[in-house]
Amino acid sequence: MSHRGLLKGVRVVDFSWLMAGPSGTLLLALAGADVIRIESTRSPDNYRKSFSKDGNPDCSPLFATVNMAKRSVLIDLKHPAGLSVAEGLVEKADLVVENFTPGTLDKLGLGYTRISERNPRIVMVSASAAGQSGPKSHFAGYAPHFASLAGLAFLTGHPDGPPTRFSRSLDARVGTYIALAALAGLLSVRQTGQGMYLDVSDQEVVASLIGDVLADAAATGREFVRNGNVEDGRAGAGCYPCKGMDQWIAIEQDNATEWQALCRAIGRPDLLADPSLASQEGRWAHRQQIEAAIGEWSRRLEKPDAVRLLQEAGVKATVVASGFDLFTDDDLHARGMWQPIEHKALGKMWVVDSPVTRSPRNGGGEGVAPAPLLGEHTDEVLREVLSLSEEKIKALRVEGALR
Amino acid sequence: MNGANSATSAGAADVRSPLPRPLDGVRVIEHAQNGAAPFAGRILSDLGADVIKVEPPGGDRARRQGVAAPAFSGLFQHANAGKRSISIDCDTAGGRTVMAALLERADCVLLDETSAVLAVDELIGRVPGRAVVVTITPFGLDCRQPRPATGARALFHAGGEGFLTPNGAPLTTPPVAPSANVAWLDAGVAGAFAAMLVLFRRGHGDEGEFEAPYFFDLAMRDVQLSLSRQDICTFANEGHLEDRSTKHSASLGPRLRCRDGDATIHLAERHWSGWCTLMDRDDLVADPRFVTHEARMANLDAVVTELERWTMPRTRAEVQGLGQPRGLPVVAILTPSEVLADDQLAYRGFFRSPVGSGGPLLTAALPFVRQDGQRWHPSNLAPPVGQHTGEVLAELGQHLAGITPATTAGVVGSGL
C-alpha cells in the first residue's frame, strides 16, 4: 500500500475553516482519509472570500493550496433539517475536526457531549487560541496573538527591532498537531472502544515548539531575548547579503576547522593569521570585524555561487530561500514536493504536497486531487454516506437546508 | 466541556496516567541526535510507547547544546523526556549485535543523518515487516549538497519562512529565524505523525500487507516548505513573490507599546468603536483618517499612535484586562519567563516537573487536553547517557546469546 492510502477508510467530518483546522485535515486527506468539509454559502470560509479572484469562492488560490483532496458539502447548520444532515454525517464518521471560537459548535447542537451520544466511537479534535478551558479560553485570536502568548513573537526578530508578527505558518503548525491528536484519538478508540475529545490549544502548540528554550529558562532563571540570527558566543554565523536585491545566505560555523574553512572560502588568510581571532572567545569579541569581512565577500557573489564555494571549502551554508528559489529547486520537484494539479475553476496550478506522504521520488505515485469547489460534493456525499435519494436531496435543497 | 483540571496543575506529583495511553506496548528504537527525530520519539513516548534511545558513548550532541550545557540542556530535556537510554558503540561488532537485537523487536525505528554509522541497509534487514522506519534528515536521504547548513535556524531559512521573517520589516534588514530550534521540532512532530499513521494502519485489519517495513524519508526542509505553503505558492501560481515587507493583513497583529513591554491586537472593522469608547476618545470616531476600516488601514501608523497614547502609560496586563472583556482582541507579548508563569498554561497543567527533577526543571506536555481534563505527560526526566543500558540488555536476554560479558564490556558505554 502506498503512503497515500494509510488512512483509507477513515471518514472525517471537517467543520474547520481558515488555516489551522484545514491544514490539519489536509495532512489527513493526503494520507488517504475521506475529508468532508462542511461549508455554507451563508458564511463561507474567509479563505474562499477574501483571497479570491473577483469574489468568486471557487477562485481562491489560497484556499486551493490548503484544501486539496477534500470534498465539500453545503449545509446550513442553522436550519433544522441541515443540522440533522450534519448529525447524520457525524454518526457515520470516525473523526470530527473544528476550530471555531470555543462554544460555537455546542451552541449549534454539535458539541462533543451531544455527538458522542449518537456516535460513542467518535473522535473530536477542537483547536482554539488558548484552549477550551482556563482563564484565557475566551480569548479570540489568530496566529500573531497565540505566537505572543507562547513567547515565540518575543523570541524572534532583531535585537533592536520589534517582536515578530507571525502568520499562517503557525496555523499550519497547529494543523500538524491537530492531525497528530486525531491519530492519538483514533488509536485510543481502537484500544478502548470509546471515543475521545481532544482540545488543542494554539498557545500550547507554539510553546511546545519552543519547549527547549522554555526548559532552559526554567532551569537557569535567565531571561531569553531575540537576537537576530546570532547564537551567543558564535561569530561568523548568520545571514549575509549576496548580489542583487534581497538575496541572502545562511552560514553555520562553530569550531576551529570550520573557522579555517571559512577564512579560506572568503579569501581572508589574514583573519586566520590574526592571533586575536584564534579562539572562539576572541572571534566573539571581534565579531563585527568578522561579520563585515563575510558580508564584503558575499555581496559580490550570486547566492548559489556563494553557497557552493562555502560548501566546497567545508563551511556549512544554505541559501535563504524565497518562493522563487523553492519553486525552481529541482530537488524539491524530484522529491515530489511540488505537485501539478488541474483545479476546476483555477485551471493548472501547483501545490505543495504533504512532507510525510508525498509521492515517491521522481513520481510514479498518485498525484494530488485538487481542492473542491464550494459544495461540489453535496449530492455525492449525501447519496453515498447517508443513502439519501435524489428526491430527498432535492427537497432538502428546496427548504434551504443545503446552502 | 469539562474544563476544570485541578488534578494536573503544574508541579503536581507526577504519576503515570492510570488511563491507557494510545501507544502502550509499542516499542520504539531511536538512533538520532539533536532535536528532530528525538522529538518524534519524545511524542511517541508521551503517548505510551517504550522509547529506547540508542546513544554513542559520548551521548547525543544535544546534551552539549544551550546556555547551561553541559550541566543541563533544555533541548535535550525537551526532546528526550520519558525515554530510556542505552549507550552502545555501533562501530564495534558487539555494538552492532546489540543494535540488531533491538531492531528485531522494534515496532518503530527513528533514524537521522547520524545513523550513517549503522550501515542502514544492512541493519534495516533486521527490522520486522510490521514496523515503520522513519528517517528525518535536513534535506532528505538523497541530498546532493556537499555540506548544507543543518541547524534549526538554517533550515528555517532554507524552507522559505526565513525569507518572510520578520513580517513587515524593510528588505534592507536581514531575514531572521527564531532564537529557538523550531525547525527541528517541527520535523519531529511530522515524524511522529508519520510513525502513527502506520501504527494505526497496522491494527486496521491489514496485517497481511506488511511484509516489509514502511519507510518514510522525511526532510526537515520539506516540512518547513509545507508549513509556509500558502505564501510560497503565490510565486508558482500568481507570479507574485511574497517577501517580508508584505503585510499579510494590516489589521492583524499591529504592535502596541505598553508601559512594561509590548502587546498586539486584531483591529477588524467591528473593533474600532470599542477602542474609542475604551479610550474615552469619541473624537476619533468622526476623524476622517479613521472613519472607515479602509481609511484606518491606510492610516495604520496614525491609528497605532492614537492607541499607544492610551496603552503606553498602562501595563500589558491592564490593557489586556480592559480590552478582552469588551471583545477587543488584545494580548500581551510574553517573554519566555512570563510564559512559564502564565495562568492559562498553569490552569491547563501544560508544564510539569517530572519525578526526580527536584528543582525548577520542567517539561512541556503535548499541546492538547482530553475531555476529562487529563493530558499525556512524560513520566520521567530525560535519562543520563546509558542509564538503562544494563536493564535493556537484560531484557534482550537470549537475543544476545552471542555476546559474552567480555565483549559486552567493550561495547557498552556508561551506565552498567
Side-chain angles (χ1 to χ4, degrees):
Chain A
M1 184 193 291
S2 79
H3 291 160
R4 206 74 99 190
L6 283 166
L7 291 183
K8 206 170 159 220
V10 172
R11 183 174 293 136
V12 184
V13 173
D14 182 5
F15 291 104
S16 74
W17 62 348
L18 301 173
M19 182 66 193
S23 301
T25 55
L26 177 66
L27 285 176
L28 301 173
L30 292 175
D34 177 16
V35 175
I36 301 169
R37 276 202 60 157
I38 310 299
E39 301 197 79
S40 173
T41 54
R42 283 164 54 104
S43 179
D45 189 331
N46 197 41
Y47 271 32
R48 284 195 184 273
K49 269 193 312 191
S50 298
F51 302 95
S52 72
K53 292 175 182 163
D54 317 322
N56 180 344
D58 292 329
C59 292
S60 162
L62 205 60
F63 182 88
T65 49
V66 77
N67 288 287
M68 298 88 79
K70 303 177 188 176
R71 301 202 277 179
S72 168
V73 170
L74 278 178
I75 300 179
D76 181 355
L77 296 174
K78 292 189 173 157
H79 190 291
L83 182 62
S84 18
V85 171
E87 285 173 333
L89 290 175
V90 167
E91 223 166 281
K92 305 270 187 182
D94 304 286
L95 175 68
V96 168
V97 176
E98 63 100 9
N99 64 331
F100 292 118
T101 307
T104 306
L105 271 194
D106 280 317
K107 276 184 217 148
L108 287 168
L110 289 164
Y112 176 70
T113 312
R114 178 84 184 275
I115 67 171
S116 65
E117 281 163 13
R118 297 185 62 145
N119 180 354
R121 289 178 65 89
I122 196 79
V123 173
M124 180 166 176
V125 180
S126 294
S128 57
Q132 310 281 323
S133 62
K136 291 187 176 118
S137 59
H138 62 288
F139 276 29
Y142 297 97
H145 311 111
F146 56 80
S148 300
L149 290 173
L152 181 65
F154 182 84
L155 275 179
T156 310
H158 296 287
D160 52 354
T164 288
R165 196 172 72 114
F166 276 92
S167 190
R168 297 166 191 150
S169 69
L170 284 196
D171 292 305
R173 290 177 167 95
V174 172
T176 313
Y177 264 123
I178 288 174
L180 186 119
L183 282 184
L186 291 170
L187 281 154
S188 291
V189 173
R190 165 106 33 79
Q191 198 177 35
T192 65
Q194 290 293 310
M196 178 171 282
Y197 177 74
L198 292 159
D199 156 18
V200 176
S201 153
D202 303 350
Q203 178 193 21
E204 291 173 10
V205 164
V206 180
S208 160
L209 295 171
I210 59 165
D212 51 341
V213 175
L214 296 172
D216 268 332
T220 62
R222 170 176 155 155
E223 190 65 278
F224 286 76
V225 295
R226 54 186 170 278
N227 53 7
N229 292 296
V230 176
E231 283 188 42
D232 265 3
R234 291 184 198 176
C239 284
Y240 301 90
C242 288
K243 202 177 198 174
M245 178 63 177
D246 202 22
Q247 305 291 318
W248 306 83
I249 55 171
I251 296 178
E252 275 169 21
Q253 186 269 119
D254 63 357
N255 59 43
T257 314
E258 288 172 359
W259 165 243
Q260 289 158 13
L262 178 68
C263 293
R264 277 198 308 276
I266 66 170
R268 293 296 298 271
D270 56 310
L271 297 178
L272 199 50
D274 185 340
S276 69
L277 304 178
S279 69
Q280 187 98 295
E281 293 72 26
R283 296 196 284 277
W284 178 244
H286 298 90
R287 59 187 177 277
Q288 278 167 342
Q289 181 192 350
I290 293 171
E291 302 303 302
I294 302 172
E296 229 169 75
W297 173 82
S298 63
R299 261 178 234 283
R300 299 196 303 261
L301 295 167
E302 301 285 348
K303 186 163 62 175
D305 295 333
V307 166
R308 184 175 46 77
L309 289 169
L310 288 164
Q311 289 189 351
E312 284 172 2
V315 181
K316 288 187 263 179
T318 297
V319 295
V320 175
S322 68
F324 172 84
D325 300 321
L326 291 163
F327 184 58
T328 54
D329 187 295
D330 291 342
D331 194 43
L332 286 170
H333 281 275
R335 285 178 68 76
M337 282 303 291
W338 285 105
Q339 292 284 337
I341 60 168
E342 188 70 35
H343 186 275
K344 283 186 179 158
L346 292 163
K348 188 178 175 194
M349 62 183 293
W350 291 91
V351 294
V352 171
D353 205 342
S354 165
V356 176
T357 55
R358 69 192 161 80
S359 293
R361 188 171 174 85
N362 292 320
E366 298 128 271
V368 172
L373 306 180
L374 183 59
E376 182 180 346
H377 306 96
T378 308
D379 292 41
E380 175 186 306
V381 168
L382 267 47
R383 270 198 314 267
E384 189 189 299
V385 181
L386 299 180
S387 310
L388 296 187
S389 65
E390 299 293 341
E391 293 71 36
K392 176 68 181 164
I393 295 171
K394 203 170 165 188
L396 284 167
R397 189 163 281 127
V398 168
E399 55 174 322
L402 305 180
R403 57 178 176 173
Chain B
M1 201 49 52
N2 181 355
N5 192 21
S6 56
T8 53
S9 63
D14 196 288
V15 178
R16 186 169 277 237
S17 168
L19 294 166
R21 296 195 287 178
L23 299 182
D24 277 339
V26 170
R27 282 184 294 225
V28 179
I29 301 301
E30 170 194 311
H31 188 283
Q33 301 191 35
N34 295 326
F39 194 54
R42 154 74 202 277
I43 291 170
L44 300 178
S45 167
D46 283 11
L47 292 172
D50 174 17
V51 181
I52 298 176
K53 182 178 182 72
V54 180
E55 295 190 76
D60 184 337
R61 286 195 295 251
R63 294 181 182 275
R64 298 181 285 283
Q65 191 172 322
V67 294
F72 176 80
S73 159
L75 175 64
F76 187 80
Q77 186 57 239
H78 185 53
N80 295 284
K83 298 178 191 173
R84 299 197 285 170
S85 167
I86 169 170
S87 178
I88 57 179
D89 183 351
C90 288
D91 281 340
T92 65
R96 293 176 68 80
T97 306
V98 174
M99 190 67 195
L102 288 168
L103 292 175
E104 275 165 15
R105 292 154 38 101
D107 300 300
C108 171
V109 180
L110 300 172
L111 304 172
D112 68 3
E113 68 273 24
T114 66
S115 299
V117 66
L118 293 178
V120 169
D121 292 346
E122 179 198 328
L123 280 176
I124 287 307
R126 312 300 286 266
V127 176
R130 64 165 192 274
V132 50
V133 178
V134 182
T135 64
I136 308 180
T137 58
F139 289 79
L141 291 177
D142 42 22
C143 174
R144 288 165 303 183
Q145 301 176 60
R147 204 167 160 78
T150 59
R153 292 189 195 220
L155 287 158
F156 190 85
H157 289 306
E161 192 165 7
F163 188 77
L164 302 167
T165 310
N167 180 245
L171 299 185
T172 46
T173 59
V176 294
S179 301
N181 293 301
V182 177
W184 282 348
L185 301 185
D186 283 333
V189 184
F193 174 71
M196 287 167 70
L197 281 174
V198 176
L199 295 170
F200 173 72
R201 190 78 212 175
R202 201 181 73 192
H204 211 72
D206 283 343
E207 293 284 357
E209 294 181 41
F210 289 85
E211 285 157 14
Y214 256 78
F215 194 80
F216 288 94
D217 160 25
L218 260 63
M220 299 179 209
R221 178 174 66 153
D222 292 354
V223 172
Q224 291 301 301
L225 166 62
S226 73
L227 293 170
S228 290
R229 55 161 48 89
Q230 289 191 317
D231 296 319
I232 301 300
C233 282
T234 59
F235 176 76
N237 294 322
E238 299 164 68
H240 163 67
L241 187 64
E242 291 276 345
D243 60 43
R244 58 200 173 285
S245 71
T246 320
K247 290 187 180 173
H248 294 303
S249 165
S251 68
L252 203 55
R255 170 180 72 143
L256 299 181
R257 286 168 294 172
C258 303
R259 198 171 82 208
D260 62 343
D262 298 311
T264 183
I265 59 171
H266 177 209
L267 193 61
E269 183 158 13
R270 63 185 182 278
H271 299 133
W272 179 242
S273 62
W275 277 104
C276 294
T277 308
L278 174 62
M279 300 188 296
D280 201 17
R281 289 289 308 277
D282 290 340
D283 59 305
L284 295 178
V285 177
D287 190 316
R289 292 173 300 167
F290 311 133
V291 77
T292 62
H293 184 67
E294 290 67 32
R296 292 192 287 277
M297 291 304 106
N299 295 297
L300 190 62
D301 288 345
V303 169
V304 168
T305 303
E306 295 299 343
L307 292 172
E308 285 189 335
R309 249 189 253 283
W310 184 80
T311 60
M312 283 177 73
R314 292 174 171 81
T315 64
R316 289 168 295 161
E318 284 174 281
V319 169
Q320 183 175 283
L322 289 165
Q324 285 284 352
R326 289 169 171 80
L328 302 175
V330 51
V331 299
I333 296 179
L334 301 180
T335 67
S337 61
E338 289 168 340
V339 172
L340 293 170
D342 181 58
D343 58 350
Q344 175 70 9
L345 296 174
Y347 183 91
R348 289 168 59 84
F350 180 65
F351 295 113
R352 181 177 283 203
S353 302
V355 169
S357 61
L361 304 186
L362 53 77
T363 53
L366 288 172
F368 41 85
V369 173
R370 301 186 296 201
Q371 71 268 25
D372 53 10
Q374 298 215 51
R375 59 198 313 159
W376 293 295
H377 275 278
S379 38
N380 294 297
L381 289 173
V385 187
Q387 182 185 9
H388 306 92
T389 299
E391 178 183 309
V392 171
L393 288 181
E395 286 169 15
L396 289 176
Q398 75 278 13
H399 291 270
L400 292 177
I403 299 245
T404 65
T407 54
T408 308
V411 301
V412 176
S414 61
L416 264 184

